[in-house]
Amino acid sequence: MAGHSQFKNIMHRKGAQDAKRARMFAKIIREITVSARSGLPDPAANPRLRAAVAAAREANMPRDTIERAIKKATGAAGGEDYAEVRYEGYGPAGVAVIVEALTDNRNRTASDVRSAFSKHGGALGETNSVSFLFSRLGVVRYPASAASEDGMLEAAIEAGADNVESGPDGHEVTTSVDSFFAVRDALESRFGVPESAKLDWRPTTTVTLDEEKAGALMKLLDVLEDNDDVQSVYANFDIPDSVLQKMSA
């Protein structure tokens, strides 16, 4: 399994499901907050907010919770003021790691991220210290039922996308950063709101890990993902299926 997207569901984790669900909701609500403040509070007129609401629905967040988050973000009180921050560093075995966060306290988040790296065999670096090992691109995902493979491919090409991969799990359309919003809007007008639409980091090279190194890296990624301020984690690792089977046994 390659670490080419946000790290999650690599291994089955037991217990604390309610706490994990609450953390997921908190992260989505932060994105809704930032999205609502970055444009109009109407999802129909604010693409980023529309994507955040779609993510909330995919996570089965109650409608009233979504509406309260939007109202709080745009109300007189305004709630917390979140800043978007990116951290970069190396994990165990020299795996490059990018961490994206939304925080209302940069010092706290930087300290937490730095501590996670240092305690789990890694080192936090400067901005752009590892991003050169990744490509920045737009990714739009639809369920397989949204269109046939040919239908999605045709629509994506017309919209200006770079690539389409279709299979039983759905369609993944990738674009350049410059074309992302135009492609997303064109596909949305044809197939409806996507399952997800976001800018992504994809590694250009990967580090293959054995069981020991994979276990060490998983601990770091777990800690980072469990941090309330962290929205996404990307890493350029590859774990062979044989190693995954041993780790999940």
Side-chain angles (χ1 to χ4, degrees):
M1 173 171 287
H4 62 260
S5 60
Q6 179 178 354
F7 171 73
K8 60 182 179 181
N9 299 328
I10 297 295
M11 298 169 57
H12 176 68
R13 303 166 196 171
K14 300 179 181 179
Q17 293 304 311
D18 288 344
K20 291 180 180 179
R21 184 169 182 263
R23 280 197 298 271
M24 180 189 300
F25 279 13
K27 293 174 188 285
I28 293 173
I29 287 174
R30 288 195 183 197
E31 175 61 21
I32 289 175
T33 299
V34 174
S35 301
R37 290 177 182 168
S38 68
L40 295 173
D42 178 8
N46 184 332
R48 180 173 177 177
L49 178 58
R50 187 160 64 247
V53 170
R57 290 173 177 166
E58 185 181 0
N60 296 316
M61 181 180 290
R63 180 184 295 273
D64 60 342
T65 301
I66 298 173
E67 293 176 349
R68 282 200 305 270
I70 295 174
K71 289 179 180 178
K72 182 178 180 181
T74 57
E80 296 85 358
D81 185 16
Y82 296 113
E84 298 179 83
V85 187
R86 186 175 86 236
Y87 302 97
E88 301 180 23
Y90 285 97
V95 172
V97 182
I98 294 177
V99 181
E100 294 181 333
L102 290 176
T103 177
D104 58 353
N105 187 321
R106 288 172 179 262
N107 291 335
R108 178 195 66 224
T109 307
S111 176
D112 289 346
V113 172
R114 183 178 295 105
S115 175
F117 273 88
S118 63
K119 289 181 179 179
H120 295 88
L124 185 63
E126 300 294 329
T127 301
N128 297 321
S129 61
V130 306
S131 58
F132 69 95
L133 295 169
F134 296 76
S135 293
R136 187 66 161 162
L137 45 78
V139 181
V140 184
R141 295 188 178 91
Y142 277 94
S145 59
S148 66
E149 292 187 15
D150 289 342
M152 182 60 69
L153 177 61
E154 178 183 355
I157 291 174
E158 290 179 357
D162 292 337
N163 189 48
V164 181
E165 292 186 6
S166 297
D169 294 333
H171 308 280
E172 182 181 88
V173 180
T174 53
T175 81
S176 67
V177 173
D178 291 340
S179 301
F180 171 64
F181 296 105
V183 171
R184 180 198 58 194
D185 292 348
L187 295 178
E188 186 173 316
S189 67
R190 187 161 177 175
F191 302 116
V193 178
E195 282 185 336
S196 65
K198 60 181 293 189
L199 294 176
D200 204 352
W201 293 96
R202 292 286 173 89
T204 54
T205 61
T206 58
V207 179
T208 301
L209 303 176
D210 59 23
E211 185 175 357
E212 180 181 355
K213 293 176 180 176
L217 179 65
M218 295 303 105
K219 291 179 181 178
L220 169 61
L221 300 182
D222 272 339
V223 171
L224 290 171
E225 282 208 326
D226 285 344
N227 187 295
D228 290 341
D229 297 334
V230 173
Q231 294 294 105
S232 303
V233 181
Y234 306 90
N236 71 336
F237 66 92
D238 183 82
I239 303 177
D241 290 342
S242 59
V243 175
L244 271 177
Q245 291 173 0
K246 291 180 181 179
M247 294 175 67
S248 59

